[in-house]
Amino acid sequence: MQTKIHCYTSSEPMLKVNAFIVEAANELVIIDTTLTMSDSKALKQKALELKKPIAGIILTHGHPDHVAGTYNLAPENNIPVYALPSVKKLMEDTEEAKHKQWSALFGAEWIPKWIYPNELVNGGDTVKIGSINFTVIDIGSGGDCDANSIWLMEDENKAAFIGDLVYNNNHTYMNDGSILRWLANLESLSPVLNSFKTLFPGHGESSGFSAIAAQREYFLTYCSNVLIATKGSGVFNDDTRKNFEQLMFSAYPGYGCQFMVALSADKVGKELLSLS
């Protein structure tokens, strides 16, 4: 059979994170595992309904909304979990802090323990998981954190699982990464991704290659509005932050994840200020 790609989008209201199930003739591969107890259990149920074993789990990067749910999918760590060494290290370095930061907010929905990758791969490797080949590209710090990867499935689907390289029709989290490196990655990865039919992002609907240009334009608009709102200083106060939010909401009235706009403003402002 031709492989099928199933998307699970979380019910968690702020992030609406995606996880993907790739279904082959005899097995499944899961890409990212959601954030909460309820969503990761629902993702597992969706996999169980396909009545095929999980041959492996891929983690595109180390943010909680993409890795925490592995706890419910592979609680005994008895399923191969694939990731870059840098992704595993970022998880190790940040797990304790993320628990302290978010557990009170999410309460019983917060997953208390992360399951770490047990199959480490390097950028450029082609990995066979069950009957499916994936090629991993290490994109480094040019995404929404310091360790990011995209995974390419070069069968008839020509599918690229791009993690948080693109937030399709959503405001973007930039508080843990470099916006300039991110722009550089969008440019350098364009020749590769242009040959893939469908890009599957961590947030937002799947799309074609046009999503890359849309993300680039979003970043340029964001940076411009940071400077406009702060009169070139990159430093916010309460009033300028509100003005900045309104500029972004007006520019992208249909975008989700609106809380991300102010969340990343100080970080981007400091990065732009460092260039002056």
Side-chain angles (χ1 to χ4, degrees), residues 19-22 28-33 43-44 47 54-59 73:
F20 301 97
I21 303 172
V22 180
L28 309 173
V29 176
I30 294 179
I31 300 164
D32 291 339
T33 59
L43 174 63
K44 183 176 183 178
I54 300 171
I57 296 169
I58 290 169
L59 302 179
L73 290 160

Side-chain angles (χ1 to χ4, degrees), residues 1-264:
M1 64 170 281
Q2 178 176 338
T3 55
K4 296 180 181 178
I5 300 168
H6 308 268
C7 178
Y8 176 84
T9 301
S10 72
S11 59
E12 189 281 317
M14 291 192 301
L15 296 170
K16 292 291 184 182
V17 65
N18 295 328
F20 301 97
I21 303 172
V22 180
E23 179 187 6
N26 299 306
E27 71 278 323
L28 309 173
V29 176
I30 294 179
I31 300 164
D32 291 339
T33 59
T34 76
L35 175 66
T36 66
M37 292 293 288
S38 293
D39 281 318
S40 56
K41 288 178 179 179
L43 174 63
K44 183 176 183 178
Q45 181 60 35
K46 186 167 185 172
L48 288 171
E49 289 169 0
L50 296 172
K51 300 185 186 321
K52 295 173 183 177
I54 300 171
I57 296 169
I58 290 169
L59 302 179
T60 60
H61 63 291
H63 274 163
D65 55 325
H66 295 264
V67 306
T70 312
Y71 174 86
N72 282 316
L73 290 160
E76 304 301 322
N77 205 11
N78 57 352
I79 294 174
V81 179
Y82 296 85
L84 296 171
S86 58
V87 171
K88 181 180 181 181
K89 185 176 188 308
L90 184 65
M91 290 173 63
E92 292 170 339
D93 290 346
T94 60
E95 180 180 7
E96 183 178 356
K98 294 297 184 183
H99 287 322
K100 290 179 179 177
Q101 183 180 10
W102 296 113
S103 60
L105 175 65
F106 286 95
E109 282 291 340
W110 183 256
I111 290 175
K113 178 184 176 183
W114 291 357
I115 302 297
Y116 286 89
N118 52 32
E119 293 285 344
L120 299 182
V121 297
N122 296 310
D125 287 351
T126 296
V127 182
K128 189 170 187 178
I129 307 176
S131 61
I132 310 169
N133 288 323
F134 295 88
T135 298
V136 58
I137 298 179
D138 182 350
I139 67 172
S141 63
D144 69 349
C145 60
D146 288 334
N148 301 274
S149 61
I150 63 176
W151 292 70
L152 308 176
M153 195 169 73
E154 300 195 53
D155 66 358
E156 61 274 12
N157 286 283
K158 290 296 286 184
F161 299 92
I162 59 174
D164 286 357
L165 179 69
V166 166
Y167 279 65
N168 193 29
N169 293 323
N170 282 277
H171 292 287
T172 302
Y173 179 78
M174 295 170 277
N175 210 40
D176 289 351
S178 164
I179 192 170
L180 298 180
R181 290 181 183 275
W182 204 331
L183 280 163
N185 269 337
L186 290 172
E187 188 70 26
S188 65
L189 292 167
S190 287
V192 174
L193 294 176
N194 194 28
S195 66
F196 283 80
K197 291 192 298 187
T198 311
L199 309 183
F200 291 92
H203 304 268
E205 294 182 358
S206 60
S207 67
F209 179 70
S210 61
I212 299 295
Q215 186 69 53
R216 184 187 297 113
E217 188 269 342
Y218 176 90
F219 286 148
L220 296 177
T221 301
Y222 193 101
C223 290
S224 295
N225 284 336
V226 165
L227 297 175
I228 290 168
T230 63
K231 293 182 168 53
S233 72
V235 178
F236 287 91
N237 57 39
D238 289 344
D239 290 336
T240 57
R241 195 181 310 277
K242 289 177 183 177
N243 291 339
F244 170 66
E245 284 187 296
Q246 289 308 310
L247 287 170
M248 291 302 296
F249 296 156
S250 295
Y252 300 97
Y255 271 34
C257 297
Q258 288 193 344
F259 76 100
M260 299 276 201
V261 172
L263 188 64
S264 302

